[in-house]
Amino acid sequence: MIFTSDNGGLSTLGKNRKAPTSVKPLRAGKGWCYEGGIRVPLIVKAPESMAINGTNNVPVISNDFYPTILELVGIPLLPDQILDGLSIVPLLEGEEGIEREAIFWHYPHYHGSTWTPGAAIRVGDWKLIEFYHYDKTELYNLKDDLGETKDLSEKYPDKVKELKSRLKQMQVETNAQFPISNPDYVDETVSELF
């Protein structure tokens, strides 16, 4: 059994509307690439043969559920099938980590939570967020700053360059779609929550 959510709590809304939830100490909420918008609860009840009681702080993503379920029930991946996630069975068996290069988020549209198009990448404790609307990039170290309050992009330009390059590579490999500018649009509703 897997219990989770699709994204963070609805804690940011435009037009002076009151949000019904809080994700403190995380930043922003549903629809955003800050931790408040992507970090969600996850509870997995493993089969009795591997039942472990405890918690694990290794980042996983919903794309990991498919390969995990396949492995748990002993069904192989179909030929020529692309696998986006990693099996988290090692975590369910008590291992402390899984070998993952990065986790990516690509959210190229506007959202009622006042999010503007952008994307993010997490590699280890480092997380880079790219805001297309503002042509802005932010860098955080989640181990030291879970609330994403200290943008480190100016302090670590080489890390920004590295993560931006990896993000672009993922977008090319997945044929990611990007927003197309409408020259007739006048932005009167987007409010910055930076």
Side-chain angles (χ1 to χ4, degrees):
M1 177 178 73
I2 297 172
F3 171 83
T4 190
S5 177
D6 63 341
N7 50 36
L10 184 56
S11 58
T12 55
L13 291 172
K15 299 182 182 176
N16 299 318
R17 294 172 29 207
K18 296 222 187 264
T21 62
S22 171
V23 295
K24 298 279 183 193
L26 305 177
R27 185 171 179 181
K30 183 181 188 92
W32 285 73
C33 280
Y34 289 119
E35 290 297 287
I38 58 178
R39 188 177 285 242
V40 296
L42 172 62
I43 300 171
V44 178
K45 183 180 183 321
E48 295 298 324
S49 62
M50 62 172 53
I52 330 171
N53 293 318
T55 61
N56 191 309
N57 292 321
V58 173
V60 300
I61 194 164
S62 59
N63 297 358
D64 296 336
F65 299 156
Y66 180 63
T68 300
I69 293 167
L70 287 179
E71 184 174 347
L72 287 172
V73 297
I75 297 176
L77 194 63
L78 296 174
D80 300 324
Q81 190 172 23
I82 296 172
L83 191 60
D84 291 329
L86 298 175
S87 172
I88 63 170
V89 167
L91 300 176
L92 299 176
E93 293 175 334
E95 292 189 28
E96 293 187 15
I98 51 178
E99 291 189 34
R100 180 189 306 278
E101 289 185 30
I103 297 178
F104 305 96
W105 296 268
H106 184 69
Y107 207 71
H109 58 278
Y110 294 89
H111 188 273
S113 67
T114 67
W115 166 260
T116 60
I121 179 173
R122 178 173 178 171
V123 177
D125 293 324
W126 290 102
K127 182 173 166 195
L128 178 127
I129 306 173
E130 188 172 16
F131 298 88
Y132 305 142
H133 183 91
Y134 299 103
D135 192 25
K136 180 178 179 177
T137 302
E138 297 176 359
L139 177 70
Y140 299 96
N141 184 299
L142 297 177
K143 181 180 179 185
D144 300 330
D145 181 21
L146 185 61
E148 295 166 300
T149 61
K150 299 173 196 104
D151 178 7
L152 302 172
S153 58
E154 290 185 19
K155 187 174 181 180
Y156 297 101
D158 290 342
K159 182 58 74 175
V160 169
K161 185 177 179 183
E162 171 199 338
L163 294 181
K164 254 184 137 168
S165 175
R166 291 180 80 173
L167 182 59
K168 295 297 177 213
Q169 179 184 351
M170 179 279 306
Q171 291 166 331
V172 168
E173 289 173 1
T174 60
N175 194 27
Q177 301 298 301
F178 288 87
I180 299 169
S181 181
N182 177 350
D184 298 325
Y185 178 73
V186 176
D187 183 4
E188 298 175 356
T189 59
V190 175
S191 63
E192 290 189 47
L193 294 178
F194 302 110

